[in-house]
Amino acid sequence: MSMKMREKIDKLFNPRAVAIIGASRTIGKWGFTFTLHLLRGGYKGPIYPINPATDELLGIPAYKSLEAIPEPVDLAFILLPADKVPAAVDDCGRRGIPACVIITAGFAELGDRGQALQREIVLAAKPYGMALVGPNCAGMISAEPMSLYCMMQPVFPPAGHIAVVSQSGNIAGSFLYMLWKQDIGVSRCVSVGNQAVLTTEDFLEYLIDDEQSRVVVAYLEGVHDGRRFVDVARRLTRRKPLIVIKGGKSERGVAAAKSHTGAIAGSSAVFDAICRQCGIIRVDDVEDLFDTATAFLSQPIPQGNRIGIVANGGGWGVLTADACIDAGLDVALLPEETLRRLDDRLPPWWNRQNPVDLVAGMSRGALYKAVEILCQCDRLDGMIVLGFGYGNGAAAALSFLPSGVVPGSAEYITASHESDRRGMNFLVEVMAKYRKPVLLASEFGVGAERDGNNPILDLRRKNIIVYPSSRRPAQVMARLVRYGQYLQQEGD
Amino acid sequence: MSMKMREKIDKLFNPRAVAIIGASRTIGKWGFTFTLHLLRGGYKGPIYPINPATDELLGIPAYKSLEAIPEPVDLAFILLPADKVPAAVDDCGRRGIPACVIITAGFAELGDRGQALQREIVLAAKPYGMALVGPNCAGMISAEPMSLYCMMQPVFPPAGHIAVVSQSGNIAGSFLYMLWKQDIGVSRCVSVGNQAVLTTEDFLEYLIDDEQSRVVVAYLEGVHDGRRFVDVARRLTRRKPLIVIKGGKSERGVAAAKSHTGAIAGSSAVFDAICRQCGIIRVDDVEDLFDTATAFLSQPIPQGNRIGIVANGGGWGVLTADACIDAGLDVALLPEETLRRLDDRLPPWWNRQNPVDLVAGMSRGALYKAVEILCQCDRLDGMIVLGFGYGNGAAAALSFLPSGVVPGSAEYITASHESDRRGMNFLVEVMAKYRKPVLLASEFGVGAERDGNNPILDLRRKNIIVYPSSRRPAQVMARLVRYGQYLQQEGD
């Protein structure tokens, strides 16, 4: 990518002023919705809706044309009917607007006639070297510093460090919603649409040096230029993790992808080979993507695949051991020294193996001590800790009794909440201190919102998820391990 | 199982009065916690806490001994130290108490010495033919008619139709919590502990005829009596689905299970063969269990594996097609007649294939109409519908504008909410009318609680889950299909 294009993508992500060409007063029209979302997202620069038929739109002044705008504009969204788009692009170019996002559909995805119209856009943009996104896309987000939220879907995740590049606006919007509703932040998002000018590879390349973006996720159906993709992906994955969902694994999925973006999905096995070669973490589902992206943001990268499990009850320990083995991890035998150190801290009936089963009713202090002892063991590379978040439930049950019936209950309730909070702080410290991932799982991940389980919600704001599942943390751990192995190989 | 034992298990699940032997005033002791949970659960009969040292406990009268209780008791929970349990069992027998649950641990799970003490319990119970649960268990729940909630964990799901039999109290408690916090009801739950008298097989047999229980789920580590298990499971699965998590798939999981319940976990492959033979649905994880149990409660059983997918945007359709193929389902080609009927209802650019992609921005009415047309197609056995629950988000974004800025916005917000509600009612009707499962997936499954997305929360109360995943509904559909195939074979 040329230096010039990089500078223009900088403007795309950090525009000083935005125009919406085809803004509308009519609820339900995209020209309305995009203006609404830009306002709702709190964009920090001036917004210039352009609509020749009105002076006002959604409570802000509207403009008859680009010419009527008093100041320079860095970014224009184009929502006009397809046949008017090429002229609008040329107009933007003449006005010196460096970046455009074309939302309008009805181009190459429709076949021959649309192809021709799309070529007109490319030709219109070319003399200006414009950074052009789309057409047929769902918009973009750039959280810092301008608070630019301009997607088709009403999604407003906080500013953070996940970057999203998507060949499906639908998947981008869904993923952003899932992040938003779980308080996880994004840096940039771009729905690449038909990629008439800027391609997936361009954005991946841009993100290599984007400091706001620490984890990059992509939804792909096809790859434009295989060689460039491999080159960019390798450069990216040495700096930060790249997590990819590839749509079109199956023949039916390929057919659906073809009708969706016109992408030739290519062989899933070939793509798997590319992922291995480039250190790309491949996942299958938006939920997997959520789990994996948050873990890469919050967890140290493990040095190997030897996992310690701490359970406060047998069943979860058994299932998590099974899930780890399924995921290709090693539920390592504990060395004698670690067993002895645990003996000093745990009651005599503890099971003396991995998973360490603390048995119901053990004090929380013992659980956390056990986690630290495992973190100190040089035969373990990562931990999965089960049962986090119990204090809240115990406190809620006790709150059922009328006050005064049981002496000391108020203090016990406070202590229950405190114990989870201390546990939370302890776990965060331990991860940082020993540089080993510590993943958490318990049923309390499910009810945290409803129960006001603040330690779990606070952990989530630190990108640490309490998975209501044994399978999910095991899979995530396996992905952390594979990325660590890739980095080690590359470092050799 | 003898008629007598069945009658005693009836008392266990429907006791007119409950005693807690070893009740305590001390917060944090199990004798306190179980009494608290019984009160919190709203048990409808009299509760008799027994503690020689006090006249009052948690605000209710306490009794010095069983003898001091004025009325007949049907069920006693025993929480005494292990060495006092055999005498307490005998005491219960002499007082004519037909059913006991022994929470206390420290028996067969500890090896030889514990084995001997456990034999004493069995001998004490035998002359009375007592229905005895445990020892070393986490208690039980029987929601209707007595509202008996007496588990170690503070879990109070509403009355409903899922029955739980668990060889791990920890898994039972976790699963109940997940049901509770998502408004899904249970009928019975029993943590079988060491199974000194009543075994997993006994409870599975009992549940065959229990009308409150429409779906049975079990967590197993081992099977006591393989032949009886197969016999009971086959009789059960002809009447209602049996969904099983088997802990100890891997060698490490087997070792953990051995230290947990002393179970010899046996080969996972052998257990898979038993599942196929008996129509048991095997799952790996509590989240899978939740997904699968709720689907079996709410969905018709499909007649085959041919699935139709309706998407309101391409990416989810592609991923769901991939996930269905991964799960062994057939994303069937649509017959010409169905294509023509869809042509009449959908805009000219629809993709004319399965997944049916309505493209962003299509009216909700078209989506639901498309679902009904697919349900009417005799080449499809079940449907997965993507994107449900969008109206809420659109309404929320519009609510951001100060009132009066956009004419008609209040009406639009109301209409957005109404559209999801009508859609919800429509989908429920369609499932009932065409007797085909219709599973729902969208990102809005994640934020429903926080967003007050009432159509999604109301669907959940009907045991219909909006999965924030394409993988999960595909897996669940595959399990519905396999159970349908099993029933068809058995019916031949």
Side-chain angles (χ1 to χ4, degrees):
Chain A
M1 187 165 43
S2 70
M3 207 57 180
K4 274 233 168 92
M5 188 52 90
R6 174 176 303 277
E7 279 165 20
K8 284 179 178 166
I9 297 177
D10 274 333
K11 302 266 189 196
L12 175 76
F13 285 129
N14 308 287
R16 287 163 303 169
V18 171
I20 302 186
I21 303 173
S24 169
R25 303 188 67 172
T26 309
I27 301 180
K29 286 207 165 185
W30 291 125
F32 178 94
T33 302
F34 276 85
T35 313
L36 175 64
H37 294 174
L38 201 51
L39 285 165
R40 163 68 178 81
Y43 174 60
K44 289 181 183 163
I47 300 172
Y48 299 111
I50 296 183
N51 180 324
T54 180
D55 294 331
E56 177 272 326
L57 244 162
L58 286 82
I60 58 173
Y63 295 77
K64 304 285 181 212
S65 66
L66 277 182
E67 281 69 36
I69 298 176
E71 285 174 288
V73 166
D74 283 341
L75 172 60
F77 287 85
I78 300 178
L79 296 113
L80 300 172
D83 57 353
K84 301 203 165 132
V85 171
V89 170
D90 181 61
D91 207 16
C92 288
R94 273 186 294 110
R95 290 279 300 168
I97 300 179
C100 279
V101 177
I102 303 171
I103 305 299
T104 311
F107 295 91
E109 81 280 9
L110 293 190
D112 288 348
R113 209 196 83 66
Q115 287 278 17
L117 204 53
Q118 185 162 316
R119 268 194 299 274
E120 286 184 45
I121 295 176
V122 176
L123 288 174
K126 195 154 198 172
Y128 309 106
M130 195 182 281
L132 192 142
V133 181
N136 185 28
C137 82
M140 59 167 289
I141 285 175
S142 183
E144 296 276 16
M146 295 306 288
S147 198
L148 174 78
Y149 290 80
C150 204
M151 292 283 294
M152 193 172 270
Q153 299 95 338
V155 285
F156 307 95
H161 304 292
I162 298 178
V164 181
V165 180
S166 182
Q167 292 180 5
S168 158
N170 172 233
I171 294 293
S174 295
F175 182 59
L176 292 169
Y177 178 87
M178 290 170 73
L179 294 173
W180 178 30
K181 293 300 163 179
Q182 294 175 84
D183 300 311
I184 310 290
V186 301
S187 52
R188 325 275 174 221
C189 171
V190 58
S191 159
V192 297
N194 292 2
Q195 309 180 74
V197 175
L198 288 175
T199 63
T200 306
E201 292 79 18
D202 290 322
F203 287 107
L204 294 179
E205 185 172 2
Y206 179 85
L207 291 168
I208 296 173
D209 293 315
D210 181 44
E211 304 223 333
Q212 296 289 333
S213 302
R214 297 195 198 143
V215 169
V216 179
V217 312
Y219 172 80
L220 305 182
E221 290 185 355
V223 167
H224 250 65
D225 174 348
R227 187 165 304 188
R228 178 154 176 240
F229 179 82
V230 166
D231 168 63
V232 167
R234 287 182 65 95
R235 283 160 52 211
L236 180 62
T237 57
R238 278 172 218 177
R239 296 278 296 276
K240 49 192 91 172
L242 171 59
I243 309 162
V244 170
I245 309 188
K246 170 74 170 59
K249 270 175 92 168
S250 61
E251 200 185 318
R252 300 299 302 151
V254 169
K258 191 159 191 322
S259 86
H260 173 221
T261 55
I264 306 304
S267 147
S268 183
V270 167
F271 191 72
D272 264 339
I274 291 175
C275 288
R276 275 194 303 277
Q277 184 194 343
C278 300
I280 295 170
I281 299 107
R282 182 175 183 179
V283 302
D284 283 336
D285 183 273
V286 283
E287 192 171 60
D288 277 358
L289 188 64
F290 176 87
D291 290 351
T292 308
T294 48
F296 273 99
L297 262 189
S298 55
Q299 300 290 333
I301 301 299
Q303 297 300 306
N305 75 338
R306 301 162 307 172
I307 306 306
I309 300 168
V310 180
N312 69 336
W316 271 88
V318 174
L319 295 181
T320 306
D322 286 344
C324 284
I325 301 297
D326 263 358
L329 298 168
D330 177 12
V331 181
L333 295 175
L334 301 179
E336 194 52 36
E337 191 211 335
T338 301
L339 291 173
R340 273 199 305 269
R341 296 192 60 206
L342 288 166
D343 286 339
D344 291 344
R345 293 293 189 150
L346 302 181
W349 62 80
W350 87 279
N351 67 336
R352 295 196 102 241
Q353 60 171 294
N354 182 16
V356 174
D357 181 1
L358 299 182
V359 186
M362 271 302 302
S363 82
R364 297 284 119 179
L367 187 145
Y368 299 125
K369 197 63 214 171
V371 173
E372 183 158 28
I373 291 169
L374 293 189
C375 282
Q376 289 165 341
C377 170
D378 60 10
R379 304 246 195 110
L380 294 175
D381 304 303
M383 261 45 74
I384 300 180
V385 178
L386 308 171
F388 183 81
Y390 180 81
N392 192 286
L398 198 54
S399 304
F400 167 76
L401 291 176
S403 80
V405 166
V406 175
S409 67
E411 292 78 359
Y412 191 87
I413 289 170
T414 307
S416 293
H417 286 298
E418 266 310 297
S419 123
D420 282 351
R421 180 153 298 282
R422 273 205 313 277
M424 172 190 102
N425 291 331
F426 178 84
L427 290 168
V428 171
E429 276 167 33
V430 157
M431 283 179 219
K433 185 167 173 191
Y434 299 103
R435 302 298 304 154
K436 293 181 179 180
V438 179
L439 301 182
L440 305 177
S442 87
E443 66 271 27
F444 304 108
V446 161
E449 213 81 52
R450 186 159 169 173
D451 281 352
N453 200 329
N454 290 320
I456 289 182
L457 300 177
D458 286 347
L459 279 170
R460 217 167 59 181
R461 288 185 197 101
K462 297 178 203 290
N463 305 306
I464 299 169
I465 307 302
V466 177
Y467 305 97
S469 155
S470 43
R471 186 189 62 78
R472 287 163 61 182
Q475 285 207 336
V476 165
M477 185 66 86
R479 291 172 186 145
L480 293 171
V481 165
R482 277 201 296 274
Y483 185 60
Q485 288 166 340
Y486 173 78
L487 291 181
Q488 280 168 17
Q489 279 167 26
E490 293 297 299
D492 287 347
Chain B
M1 185 166 46
S2 71
M3 206 55 179
K4 274 233 168 93
M5 189 52 90
R6 174 176 302 279
E7 279 166 20
K8 283 179 177 165
I9 298 177
D10 275 334
K11 301 266 191 199
L12 174 76
F13 285 129
N14 308 287
R16 286 163 305 169
V18 171
I20 302 186
I21 302 172
S24 169
R25 301 186 70 174
T26 308
I27 301 181
K29 286 207 162 187
W30 291 124
F32 178 94
T33 302
F34 276 86
T35 313
L36 174 65
H37 294 174
L38 202 50
L39 286 166
R40 164 68 178 80
Y43 174 61
K44 290 182 182 161
I47 301 172
Y48 299 111
I50 297 183
N51 180 324
T54 181
D55 293 332
E56 178 272 326
L57 245 162
L58 288 81
I60 58 172
Y63 295 78
K64 305 283 180 213
S65 67
L66 276 182
E67 281 69 34
I69 298 177
E71 286 174 287
V73 165
D74 283 341
L75 171 60
F77 287 85
I78 300 178
L79 295 113
L80 300 172
D83 57 353
K84 299 202 166 137
V85 170
V89 170
D90 181 61
D91 207 17
C92 288
R94 276 187 290 108
R95 290 279 301 168
I97 300 179
C100 279
V101 177
I102 303 171
I103 305 300
T104 312
F107 295 92
E109 82 279 10
L110 292 191
D112 289 349
R113 210 197 84 67
Q115 286 278 16
L117 204 56
Q118 185 163 316
R119 270 195 299 274
E120 286 185 45
I121 295 177
V122 175
L123 288 173
K126 196 154 199 171
Y128 310 104
M130 196 183 279
L132 193 141
V133 181
N136 185 26
C137 82
M140 58 168 289
I141 284 175
S142 183
E144 296 275 16
M146 295 305 288
S147 197
L148 174 78
Y149 291 80
C150 204
M151 292 285 293
M152 192 171 271
Q153 299 94 337
V155 285
F156 307 96
H161 303 292
I162 298 178
V164 182
V165 180
S166 182
Q167 292 179 7
S168 158
N170 172 233
I171 295 293
S174 295
F175 182 59
L176 292 169
Y177 177 86
M178 290 169 74
L179 293 174
W180 179 29
K181 292 301 163 179
Q182 295 176 84
D183 301 310
I184 310 289
V186 301
S187 52
R188 325 275 175 221
C189 170
V190 59
S191 159
V192 297
N194 292 1
Q195 312 182 70
V197 174
L198 288 174
T199 63
T200 305
E201 293 79 17
D202 290 323
F203 287 108
L204 294 179
E205 185 172 3
Y206 178 86
L207 291 168
I208 296 173
D209 294 315
D210 182 43
E211 304 222 335
Q212 295 289 334
S213 302
R214 297 195 199 143
V215 169
V216 179
V217 311
Y219 173 80
L220 305 181
E221 289 185 356
V223 166
H224 251 67
D225 174 347
R227 190 166 300 188
R228 178 152 177 243
F229 179 82
V230 167
D231 169 63
V232 167
R234 287 180 66 94
R235 282 159 54 212
L236 179 63
T237 56
R238 277 172 219 176
R239 296 277 297 277
K240 50 191 87 171
L242 171 59
I243 307 161
V244 170
I245 309 189
K246 171 74 170 57
K249 270 175 90 170
S250 62
E251 201 186 316
R252 298 299 304 150
V254 168
K258 193 158 190 318
S259 87
H260 173 221
T261 56
I264 306 303
S267 143
S268 183
V270 168
F271 191 74
D272 264 340
I274 291 176
C275 288
R276 275 194 303 276
Q277 185 194 343
C278 301
I280 294 169
I281 299 107
R282 183 175 183 178
V283 302
D284 284 336
D285 182 273
V286 284
E287 190 171 61
D288 276 358
L289 188 63
F290 176 87
D291 289 350
T292 308
T294 48
F296 273 99
L297 262 187
S298 55
Q299 300 291 333
I301 301 298
Q303 297 301 305
N305 75 338
R306 300 163 306 174
I307 307 306
I309 299 168
V310 180
N312 69 335
W316 271 87
V318 174
L319 294 182
T320 306
D322 286 343
C324 283
I325 301 297
D326 262 359
L329 299 167
D330 176 13
V331 181
L333 294 176
L334 300 179
E336 194 51 38
E337 191 211 335
T338 300
L339 291 173
R340 271 200 305 269
R341 295 192 59 208
L342 288 166
D343 286 339
D344 291 344
R345 293 293 188 151
L346 301 182
W349 61 79
W350 86 279
N351 66 336
R352 295 197 100 240
Q353 60 171 293
N354 181 18
V356 174
D357 180 2
L358 299 182
V359 187
M362 273 301 304
S363 82
R364 297 283 119 180
L367 187 148
Y368 299 125
K369 196 64 214 172
V371 174
E372 183 158 28
I373 292 170
L374 293 190
C375 282
Q376 288 165 340
C377 170
D378 61 10
R379 306 246 194 107
L380 293 175
D381 303 303
M383 258 48 71
I384 300 180
V385 178
L386 307 170
F388 184 80
Y390 180 81
N392 192 287
L398 199 52
S399 303
F400 167 76
L401 291 176
S403 79
V405 166
V406 175
S409 67
E411 293 78 1
Y412 191 87
I413 289 170
T414 308
S416 294
H417 286 299
E418 265 310 296
S419 122
D420 283 350
R421 179 152 300 281
R422 274 204 312 277
M424 172 190 103
N425 291 331
F426 178 84
L427 290 169
V428 171
E429 276 167 34
V430 157
M431 285 178 217
K433 183 167 173 189
Y434 299 103
R435 305 294 307 150
K436 293 181 181 180
V438 179
L439 301 182
L440 305 176
S442 87
E443 66 272 25
F444 303 107
V446 160
E449 214 83 52
R450 184 158 169 175
D451 281 351
N453 200 328
N454 290 319
I456 289 182
L457 299 177
D458 286 346
L459 279 170
R460 217 167 60 180
R461 289 185 197 101
K462 299 177 201 288
N463 305 306
I464 299 168
I465 307 302
V466 177
Y467 305 97
S469 155
S470 43
R471 187 190 61 80
R472 287 163 63 182
Q475 284 207 334
V476 164
M477 185 67 85
R479 291 171 185 145
L480 293 170
V481 165
R482 277 201 295 275
Y483 185 60
Q485 288 166 339
Y486 173 78
L487 290 180
Q488 280 169 17
Q489 279 166 25
E490 291 298 298
D492 286 348

